[in-house]
Amino acid sequence: MKEAKIMELEKVVDERLKKLSSIGSDPTGGMTRLLYSDSWLEAQKYVKAQMETTGMATKFDDVGNLFGRIEGSEKPEETIMTGSHIDTVVNGGTLDGQFGVVASLTAVQFLQDKYGTPKRSLEVISMAEEEGSRFPTVFWGSKNFVGIANNAEVKDVADADGKKFVDEMHRQGFDFSDKQTRRDDIKAFVEEHIEQGSILEREHEQIGVVNSIAGQRRYDITLKGEANHAGTTPLSYRHDAVYGMAKIVNTALDKAHEIGDPLVLTFGKVVPKPNTVNVVPGEVLFTMDCRHTDADYLVKFTTEIENMMRDVAKQMGLDINIDLWMDEKPVPMSQDIVDTIEGQAKAGHYKYRVMHSGAGHDSQIIAPVYPTAMIFVPSINGVSHNPAENTKFEDLVEGVKLMADTLYQLAYK
Amino acid sequence: MKEAKIMELEKVVDERLKKLSSIGSDPTGGMTRLLYSDSWLEAQKYVKAQMETTGMATKFDDVGNLFGRIEGSEKPEETIMTGSHIDTVVNGGTLDGQFGVVASLTAVQFLQDKYGTPKRSLEVISMAEEEGSRFPTVFWGSKNFVGIANNAEVKDVADADGKKFVDEMHRQGFDFSDKQTRRDDIKAFVEEHIEQGSILEREHEQIGVVNSIAGQRRYDITLKGEANHAGTTPLSYRHDAVYGMAKIVNTALDKAHEIGDPLVLTFGKVVPKPNTVNVVPGEVLFTMDCRHTDADYLVKFTTEIENMMRDVAKQMGLDINIDLWMDEKPVPMSQDIVDTIEGQAKAGHYKYRVMHSGAGHDSQIIAPVYPTAMIFVPSINGVSHNPAENTKFEDLVEGVKLMADTLYQLAYK
């Protein structure tokens, strides 16, 4: 695939990304295209029209996921599905989500153009929502696609401006699915996405073959001691919440650094009270975000850290509250699909590595239901969710070509 | 002194504190009496009237410090001075500052009533400002009293409402001193104050004889690393500013706790950026407040901590900026005055301890110029600068009596 029609493929990818990046673009750079906004619908309609240029059959589902389908010639009842999400974060970049949609659509049309009708059906999905940036819901698109969306969870929610989820959905012509159903024709799902990290760039590679999405556990931890005058309270009288936090964070990160990949551990938020130079802090709230690709190890490690936290608090005479508010298990990708992608990467002499994803993706919702894997392309400086999000165009093209190679294996062989 | 006229002294202290606490009282409890406000002037006028009830000669200086004087019978040219400040913090308690004014005034009048005219002149000062709560100036009263105020520093400043220092000073009938002068008649200064800590309470003592005011060094420290995605950035790639902060705070406080009194060390403020659960913090600002009674030791210890901070930053690949923005040397009290107070405390069987002050006071401005010492009374739970600030009334009375005993030794012997 690396030689044929390269110029045309590059041109189409470039045009489509430029057009989509203009729909919902922010005046100051970057873009904002939130679920059920006008720019969101405009983008879905553009993708729909692009699907139809080569005669794909298109349809929206009830909630606004868009599908474009080529019926297979020999096994039409077996569908190879590919795609990503069309929504963005607030003032995000121009690749997160929509590059995957463009890559899938362009790869499918490239194959159709070059090889004609596939043996199995090929279908592109442009999912309605993944980011959770407008309403307090994430994976709305993929959850509806695989039939596990919970309508009750979003029925009464509103965005920051007070606009209701239901009203905005109706305004754009969509509604809740009557009941959650699941298709049984889908034999594979392949999603392409930017890495949103800097491993590929640092390692001078162009492709990541994703074999797992890391599990995440997120905590709010509160330590309560006693606020005191910083001058008049001897050290031996104190119950200093920031001292406890520092001992916990330092001990936990020392330990995590000894262990290393694929474990990551982040204490991103620290809010002492009263947060003043001359008062011994009587309270501190801080967060912990821990990720690993092995479910048992993630639980084991975080449980050890929880115990250490309680020990430190006890030694220091602090009250502690540990709130585990997110507990997402790691999601392994399908080894078959991973092997297919890696096989094509090897055969095509792509510069690739097999790796896990530390960030969440629609594929983690789809993988437990259908055989799924992902393709990553590099992110310059690892930046994402930011107008500076970017990838070398040659790397994007490599990603689309590997997607085409993979779909050829899955749908034409 | 412990037996005589106790009832009258208690009654006067109680009445004066109640009256003063009503001038500038906040509707929700506590009080706010800021420099050059109407309540501030009303309080000074009340104290002036109270001074005049026993024939003290009263006067304001140019900036609003109030003096009440009894001329000595044998050595009128030698003045024993006593007092504290009349201003408060915003929504402060009813003892910080004004209790010292009441204690000095009541003790002097008690002596005058019981023993007649003193040999040396006795003078009470109600200082204009100590707290720095309205304008960005502290010790405005004591600095003018000892002739080291810098008018240029406050000439152009305004309060939070935009009211100018100069305009407010003029409005209440005061003005800058033409030139800073220093009296040479003052042979001793004694200030009484609440402890604002909990040492006396915990040790079941009623009196602190203050032999030193701790020096303070305050720092803003900024660590800069790199903000990264908490999921996609391996630990080995990270430059985590909060990790650096935690290592520094933990190491410094472990060391300080090994050393103990009179060293105190506080990291009261911590502000990471962007302060979000799922972003590796690229930056953190935190404060350090270190106090000790020995000037050389304070410099030695903080220099060691500064060096440790730079080492940690270097090891972690973080940029560090260490800004020492307050460097106040410890101020020893006069050993002669301390001995006089302690002698009276011992003779009168007061429950006392000799101690240092970890908080700042007017006495630290006055001590380098005139022989000075302080008397502390306990603070319930160590609370101050808060409507909950309180002291058992019997402890306040003990403090006034020891003040009278001390002034008797200094002015009548």
Side-chain angles (χ1 to χ4, degrees):
Chain A
M1 211 73 54
K2 292 194 85 176
E3 295 73 30
K5 283 201 168 188
I6 287 178
M7 293 311 296
E8 292 82 344
L9 184 145
E10 288 183 352
K11 187 162 159 275
V12 173
V13 168
D14 184 49
E15 279 172 6
R16 286 176 171 170
L17 281 177
K18 279 189 177 138
K19 175 62 185 176
L20 275 174
S21 302
S22 73
I23 304 174
S25 66
D26 291 331
T28 55
M31 56 188 310
T32 304
R33 204 166 57 213
L34 305 179
L35 178 64
Y36 301 140
S37 65
D38 291 345
S39 60
W40 172 89
L41 186 61
E42 188 185 342
Q44 286 291 59
K45 284 184 172 168
Y46 168 75
V47 174
K48 185 167 180 285
Q50 290 293 306
M51 287 170 166
E52 289 163 356
T53 55
T54 55
M56 294 173 95
T58 60
K59 67 164 188 175
F60 280 105
D61 70 5
D62 292 349
V63 300
N65 287 315
L66 170 65
F67 299 82
R69 181 174 171 91
I70 305 170
E71 208 67 20
S73 57
E74 294 181 17
K75 295 184 176 178
E77 75 286 3
E78 294 185 6
T79 302
I80 306 303
M81 179 77 75
T82 182
S84 192
H85 61 95
I86 200 69
D87 70 316
T88 73
V89 298
V90 174
N91 197 225
T94 59
L95 295 171
D96 184 356
Q98 72 183 16
F99 168 63
V101 173
V102 168
S104 293
L105 176 60
T106 308
V108 167
Q109 290 178 330
F110 178 86
L111 291 172
Q112 191 181 14
D113 187 31
K114 188 169 163 68
Y115 300 107
T117 306
K119 288 184 184 172
R120 293 177 194 81
S121 297
L122 256 175
E123 198 167 324
V124 176
I125 182 168
S126 176
M127 280 177 279
E129 194 271 349
E130 186 252 17
E131 299 284 5
S133 295
R134 181 177 187 182
F135 301 103
T137 176
V138 286
F139 302 125
W140 178 243
S142 50
K143 282 179 173 172
N144 272 280
F145 169 48
V146 301
I148 59 165
N150 185 344
N151 296 341
E153 276 177 24
V154 291
K155 198 168 64 72
D156 295 320
V157 305
D159 68 11
D161 297 332
K163 287 186 180 158
K164 288 187 176 170
F165 187 97
V166 173
D167 293 345
E168 285 291 283
M169 183 167 61
H170 289 169
R171 187 173 71 86
Q172 302 298 17
F174 300 106
D175 203 346
F176 290 126
S177 294
D178 281 344
K179 59 180 182 199
Q180 293 288 323
T181 57
R182 180 171 293 175
R183 289 167 58 171
D184 58 7
D185 61 315
I186 296 167
K187 302 306 172 195
F189 177 74
V190 186
E191 179 179 14
E192 185 147 342
H193 206 279
I194 53 168
E195 181 195 347
Q196 304 180 280
S198 57
I199 296 174
L200 294 174
E201 182 181 71
R202 286 187 183 226
E203 304 296 336
H204 306 290
E205 287 154 346
Q206 290 184 294
I207 294 291
V209 180
V210 178
N211 64 353
S212 171
I213 295 177
Q216 305 185 26
R217 300 192 119 195
R218 292 189 188 172
Y219 295 80
D220 280 350
I221 301 117
T222 309
L223 287 170
K224 280 192 188 169
E226 199 174 274
N228 289 122
H229 191 295
T232 62
T233 314
L235 289 175
S236 58
Y237 288 9
R238 298 187 181 191
H239 301 283
D240 178 342
V242 160
Y243 187 16
M245 175 278 297
K247 196 169 283 296
I248 286 168
V249 170
N250 185 48
T251 306
L253 282 171
D254 278 355
K255 188 166 183 171
H257 276 261
E258 277 172 28
I259 296 164
D261 294 342
L263 177 69
V264 287
L265 183 65
T266 307
F267 296 86
K269 184 174 178 180
V270 183
V271 183
K273 281 185 188 172
N275 220 10
T276 305
V277 60
N278 59 345
V279 179
V280 181
E283 191 173 329
V284 64
L285 165 78
F286 59 105
T287 60
M288 181 169 89
D289 174 314
C290 187
R291 309 193 193 190
H292 200 280
T293 50
D294 182 284
D296 292 341
Y297 192 86
L298 180 59
V299 171
K300 178 178 169 288
F301 179 79
T302 51
T303 303
E304 281 172 21
I305 299 297
E306 286 178 43
N307 291 337
M308 178 274 287
M309 288 185 188
R310 288 195 192 90
D311 288 347
V312 169
K314 196 173 173 187
Q315 281 162 28
M316 292 195 170
L318 301 169
D319 290 333
I320 188 165
N321 184 60
I322 301 176
D323 176 20
L324 172 65
W325 54 267
M326 182 195 281
D327 187 11
E328 288 183 1
K329 294 206 169 11
V331 180
M333 299 291 101
S334 156
Q335 192 58 49
D336 282 352
I337 310 293
V338 169
D339 288 346
T340 301
I341 300 172
E342 190 181 2
Q344 292 304 303
K346 204 172 279 178
H349 303 292
Y350 291 83
K351 288 180 278 180
Y352 79 97
R353 70 163 40 212
V354 178
M355 65 189 291
H356 75 273
S357 172
H361 294 288
D362 287 312
S363 286
Q364 75 194 62
I365 302 301
I366 299 168
V369 181
Y370 306 121
T372 296
M374 295 186 74
I375 298 169
F376 275 172
V377 293
S379 292
I380 293 174
N381 294 322
V383 173
S384 184
H385 287 194
N386 185 302
E389 177 181 276
N390 208 354
T391 299
K392 285 183 201 160
F393 186 68
E394 66 201 65
D395 292 343
L396 295 178
V397 171
E398 287 290 285
V400 179
K401 288 196 288 179
L402 181 59
M403 175 62 90
D405 292 341
T406 302
L407 296 177
Y408 181 79
Q409 287 298 311
L410 294 169
Y412 285 82
K413 285 292 182 84
Chain B
M1 209 71 58
K2 293 195 84 178
E3 295 73 30
K5 283 202 166 187
I6 287 177
M7 292 312 295
E8 292 83 343
L9 183 143
E10 287 183 353
K11 187 160 160 276
V12 173
V13 168
D14 184 47
E15 279 171 5
R16 285 176 171 169
L17 281 176
K18 280 190 177 138
K19 175 63 186 172
L20 276 174
S21 301
S22 73
I23 304 173
S25 67
D26 291 330
T28 55
M31 55 189 308
T32 304
R33 204 165 58 212
L34 305 178
L35 178 64
Y36 301 141
S37 65
D38 291 345
S39 61
W40 172 89
L41 186 60
E42 188 185 342
Q44 285 291 59
K45 284 184 172 168
Y46 169 75
V47 174
K48 184 167 181 284
Q50 290 293 303
M51 287 169 166
E52 289 164 357
T53 56
T54 55
M56 295 174 94
T58 61
K59 66 164 187 174
F60 280 107
D61 69 6
D62 293 347
V63 300
N65 287 315
L66 171 66
F67 299 82
R69 180 175 172 90
I70 305 168
E71 208 67 23
S73 59
E74 293 181 18
K75 294 183 174 177
E77 75 285 1
E78 294 186 3
T79 301
I80 306 302
M81 178 77 77
T82 183
S84 192
H85 61 95
I86 200 70
D87 70 315
T88 74
V89 297
V90 174
N91 198 227
T94 59
L95 294 171
D96 184 356
Q98 72 184 17
F99 168 63
V101 173
V102 168
S104 293
L105 175 60
T106 308
V108 167
Q109 290 178 330
F110 178 86
L111 292 171
Q112 191 183 12
D113 186 34
K114 186 168 165 69
Y115 300 108
T117 306
K119 288 184 183 173
R120 292 176 195 80
S121 298
L122 257 174
E123 199 167 323
V124 176
I125 181 169
S126 176
M127 281 177 279
E129 192 272 347
E130 186 252 16
E131 298 285 4
S133 295
R134 180 176 187 182
F135 302 103
T137 176
V138 285
F139 302 124
W140 178 243
S142 50
K143 282 180 173 171
N144 271 281
F145 168 48
V146 301
I148 60 165
N150 185 344
N151 296 342
E153 277 177 22
V154 291
K155 199 167 63 72
D156 296 320
V157 306
D159 67 12
D161 297 331
K163 288 186 180 161
K164 287 187 176 173
F165 186 98
V166 173
D167 293 344
E168 285 291 283
M169 182 166 61
H170 289 168
R171 187 173 72 86
Q172 302 298 17
F174 300 106
D175 203 346
F176 289 126
S177 296
D178 281 346
K179 60 180 182 203
Q180 293 288 324
T181 57
R182 180 171 293 175
R183 289 166 59 172
D184 59 7
D185 62 314
I186 296 167
K187 301 305 171 197
F189 177 74
V190 186
E191 179 179 14
E192 186 148 341
H193 206 281
I194 53 168
E195 182 195 346
Q196 304 180 281
S198 57
I199 296 173
L200 294 174
E201 183 181 69
R202 287 188 181 225
E203 303 296 336
H204 305 290
E205 288 156 344
Q206 291 184 293
I207 294 290
V209 180
V210 178
N211 64 353
S212 172
I213 295 176
Q216 305 185 25
R217 299 193 121 196
R218 292 189 188 172
Y219 293 81
D220 280 350
I221 301 118
T222 309
L223 286 170
K224 281 192 189 169
E226 200 173 274
N228 288 122
H229 191 294
T232 62
T233 314
L235 289 174
S236 58
Y237 289 8
R238 298 186 179 191
H239 301 284
D240 178 342
V242 159
Y243 187 16
M245 175 279 296
K247 196 168 282 297
I248 286 167
V249 170
N250 185 47
T251 307
L253 282 171
D254 277 356
K255 189 166 182 171
H257 276 260
E258 276 172 28
I259 295 164
D261 295 342
L263 177 70
V264 287
L265 184 65
T266 307
F267 296 87
K269 184 175 177 178
V270 183
V271 184
K273 281 185 190 174
N275 220 10
T276 305
V277 59
N278 60 347
V279 179
V280 181
E283 190 173 332
V284 63
L285 165 79
F286 60 104
T287 60
M288 181 170 89
D289 174 316
C290 187
R291 309 191 193 192
H292 199 279
T293 50
D294 182 283
D296 291 342
Y297 192 86
L298 180 60
V299 171
K300 177 178 168 289
F301 179 79
T302 51
T303 303
E304 281 172 20
I305 299 296
E306 286 178 43
N307 291 337
M308 178 273 287
M309 288 184 189
R310 287 194 193 89
D311 288 347
V312 168
K314 197 174 172 186
Q315 281 161 28
M316 293 197 170
L318 302 168
D319 289 333
I320 188 165
N321 184 59
I322 301 176
D323 176 20
L324 172 65
W325 55 268
M326 181 195 282
D327 187 11
E328 287 182 2
K329 293 201 170 15
V331 181
M333 300 289 101
S334 157
Q335 193 58 50
D336 281 352
I337 310 293
V338 168
D339 289 345
T340 301
I341 300 172
E342 189 181 3
Q344 292 305 303
K346 203 171 279 178
H349 304 293
Y350 291 83
K351 288 181 277 180
Y352 79 96
R353 70 162 40 210
V354 178
M355 65 188 292
H356 75 273
S357 172
H361 294 289
D362 287 312
S363 286
Q364 76 194 64
I365 303 300
I366 299 168
V369 181
Y370 306 121
T372 295
M374 295 185 72
I375 297 169
F376 275 171
V377 293
S379 292
I380 294 173
N381 294 323
V383 173
S384 185
H385 286 193
N386 185 300
E389 177 181 274
N390 208 356
T391 300
K392 285 183 201 161
F393 186 68
E394 65 201 67
D395 291 344
L396 296 178
V397 171
E398 287 291 286
V400 178
K401 289 196 287 179
L402 181 59
M403 175 61 89
D405 293 342
T406 302
L407 296 177
Y408 182 80
Q409 285 299 310
L410 294 169
Y412 285 82
K413 287 291 182 81

